[in-house]
Amino acid sequence: MNEIYEVDSISKDDVREYKFTAHDFERVKKLIYNRAGISLSSSKQNMVYSRLARRLRATGYLSFKEYLDSLENGNSHEWESFTNALTTNLTSFFREQHHFPMLERHVEKRRNNGKIHLWCSASSTGEEPYSMAMSMVHVFKTYTPPIHILATDLDTNVLAKARAGIYPLERLEKLPKDKLRKFFLKGKGAQAGYAMVRPELKNMITFRQLNLLDNNWSIRGPFDAIFCRNVMIYFDKPTQYKILQKFVPLLASDGLLFAGHSESFQHAADLFKLREKTVYELAKK
Ligand SMILES: C[S@@+](CC[C@H](N)C(=O)[O-])C[C@H]1O[C@@H](n2cnc3c(N)ncnc32)[C@H](O)[C@@H]1O
């Protein structure tokens, strides 16, 4: 899951530019847990060092102690970059492919119910909500289906990339040619080597920052489906349970909750029951 980022972790033999003690790591762990619910295991020490050393360089702090003190003293601007640095944003188009035909069948059954509302609750750089939008074009056979997708994430950097919808061509290599032709505009000149998703897909989606840990999400349901994939793994079970509790009133009574391949909500069986592999429905309708 984290492999993309772990390549930048330093080896034991490297000389570190900044002193990074076990106490510093414990402080980081506590701060990011309280802020984002992310539980960092001790195996993540090198990763944390390399990601935050960049923030020290960028901000000019001379030690982790000074940097972490400034966060604790409420340096609100740096909080955002600190959080962005510690999230893991790995994603891809049509990741966990089997979910998309399932979403299509689910929406197909509801197509006469008026506008369909979908929520992608950890949208990262946008590949997931754009894949959902492409599936909706497929169901309704139009670039302007009666669909609204709310796409949220905690990390403001990835949200900016998602809004732009511009991807290097190598990120699109696994997409079938017909999808590439139908849903992307190939860049020319300065944009060569990149492709942008068609504006019609962007028009279906509202991107917004949302911390799943916040008490008040200020969003209104009901959603016909919620995607919450490959984010719960960063949270401990009590945090997962609290989030799942908040999904319940936001999901339509016959709505679906899509989870990531290694996520199970068995510990919340009173809230959600398994419908199919990693897809859940409300336990009480
Ligand atoms: C590994 S990516 C998964 C992206 C996509 N859902 C997928 O399955 O391909 C996890 C995403 O969760 C986001 N995230 C982490 N903590 C979060 C939180 N507390 N609230 C909302 N999003 C969070 C990260 O910023 C990151 O973009």
Side-chain angles (χ1 to χ4, degrees):
M1 187 69 244
N2 301 317
E3 58 277 21
I4 267 200
Y5 287 100
E6 285 179 353
V7 292
D8 67 5
S9 62
I10 58 167
S11 83
K12 280 195 212 104
D13 300 332
D14 287 326
V15 179
R16 281 178 168 169
E17 185 180 352
Y18 304 98
K19 196 166 132 204
F20 185 53
T21 65
H23 178 62
D24 294 328
F25 180 65
E26 284 310 310
R27 284 178 78 189
V28 172
K29 258 179 85 165
K30 202 164 151 202
L31 291 172
I32 195 67
Y33 179 78
N34 290 339
R35 178 78 166 197
I38 297 173
S39 303
L40 291 172
S41 68
S42 51
S43 67
K44 296 286 188 289
Q45 290 206 29
N46 282 344
M47 180 204 84
V48 166
Y49 173 82
S50 68
R51 292 190 191 180
L52 291 184
R54 281 184 219 138
R55 293 307 312 151
L56 265 71
R57 258 172 246 132
T59 51
Y61 286 105
L62 296 175
S63 69
F64 270 89
K65 181 180 178 311
E66 262 183 39
Y67 177 75
L68 296 171
D69 285 349
S70 92
L71 287 174
E72 281 175 350
N73 294 333
N75 179 347
S76 56
H77 182 66
E78 185 52 28
W79 263 111
E80 183 172 327
S81 303
F82 169 79
T83 311
N84 289 353
L86 292 178
T87 58
T88 292
N89 311 114
L90 183 64
T91 186
S92 57
F93 287 100
F94 294 97
R95 180 180 194 185
E96 287 157 53
Q97 217 280 330
H98 65 281
H99 281 166
F100 294 90
M102 212 175 151
L103 175 69
E104 288 179 16
R105 287 194 298 276
H106 177 60
V107 168
E108 183 75 62
K109 277 191 253 153
R110 306 161 76 83
R111 63 182 300 156
N112 298 323
N113 297 2
K115 197 154 186 163
I116 305 271
H117 296 270
L118 309 176
W119 179 19
C120 174
S121 67
S123 65
S124 188
T125 38
E127 288 86 335
E128 183 170 281
Y130 287 126
S131 302
M132 294 162 78
M134 290 179 219
S135 294
M136 295 303 99
V137 170
H138 185 236
V139 171
F140 288 90
K141 312 268 177 290
T142 162
Y143 281 114
T144 53
I147 300 285
H148 179 253
I149 302 172
L150 174 66
T152 62
D153 199 284
L154 170 67
D155 182 333
T156 49
N157 288 341
V158 292
L159 281 169
K161 289 187 184 160
R163 269 189 207 102
I166 297 171
Y167 300 93
L169 292 178
E170 53 277 21
R171 293 280 286 276
L172 311 176
E173 266 165 8
K174 288 198 184 129
L175 277 177
K177 291 272 172 300
D178 63 313
K179 282 205 169 66
L180 269 179
R181 268 195 302 272
K182 211 166 159 189
F183 295 118
F184 291 87
L185 307 169
K186 214 168 163 182
K188 292 188 187 126
Q191 294 294 328
Y194 292 87
M196 189 174 82
V197 293
R198 283 183 66 120
E200 293 91 337
L201 297 187
K202 290 189 186 182
N203 289 343
M204 258 183 258
I205 307 174
T206 305
F207 289 100
R208 227 188 81 184
Q209 190 197 21
L210 185 142
N211 184 349
L212 287 168
L213 221 70
D214 281 351
N215 288 331
N216 184 5
W217 290 343
S218 65
I219 51 174
R220 257 193 297 151
F223 291 98
D224 299 282
I226 299 177
F227 272 50
C228 184
R229 306 192 313 163
N230 304 303
V231 61
M232 289 291 212
I233 35 161
Y234 301 109
F235 307 145
D236 57 23
K237 296 273 185 238
T239 307
Q240 291 185 10
Y241 190 85
K242 272 192 216 146
I243 294 169
L244 290 169
Q245 265 180 322
K246 290 172 68 184
F247 281 156
V248 169
L250 289 174
L251 194 62
S253 59
D254 52 353
L256 294 179
L257 172 65
F258 292 77
H261 60 288
S262 59
E263 294 163 329
S264 156
F265 302 147
Q266 259 171 16
H267 60 290
D270 56 324
L271 305 177
F272 286 97
K273 68 172 185 232
L274 194 61
R275 157 87 74 95
E276 257 179 60
K277 203 173 145 224
T278 62
V279 181
Y280 289 80
E281 60 190 3
L282 288 170
K284 296 179 200 111
K285 294 191 182 177

